[in-house]
Amino acid sequence: MTEASRSDSTKGSGCVTGAHGSDLPAKLGKPAERALAAAGIYRLADLTTWTERDLAALHGVGPTAITKLRDALAERNQTFA
């Protein structure tokens, strides 16, 4: 999927979409997106089995990504493990 088509497909949703049907926040940085995908995390529900500390240990996932993920989980009344 090209960057242009990705942004068109996520307009208004605020979420990344892809082959795995991701509902992760669209504004995550590319390093965080790659780190999460490498860890098998494609959906917000996948994050409920991870602690913030474990996520932060992934190369590419920093404080900004953790905050965005925490906020996205909170919107769905979910939390990290």
Side-chain angles (χ1 to χ4, degrees), residues 9-80:
S9 70
T10 59
K11 264 193 182 155
S13 71
C15 297
V16 175
T17 57
H20 295 279
S22 178
D23 61 354
L24 297 174
K27 298 287 184 180
L28 286 178
K30 295 298 179 192
E33 287 180 12
R34 287 189 296 268
L36 294 173
I41 300 169
Y42 301 101
R43 303 191 50 79
L44 288 172
D46 297 333
L47 293 169
T48 62
T49 63
W50 286 74
T51 65
E52 287 187 41
R53 180 180 289 217
D54 290 339
L55 282 171
L58 297 175
H59 182 76
V61 178
T64 302
I66 296 288
T67 298
K68 290 176 182 179
L69 294 168
R70 185 186 315 112
D71 292 347
L73 285 169
E75 287 177 11
R76 295 171 185 242
N77 296 318
Q78 295 177 317
T79 62
F80 295 112

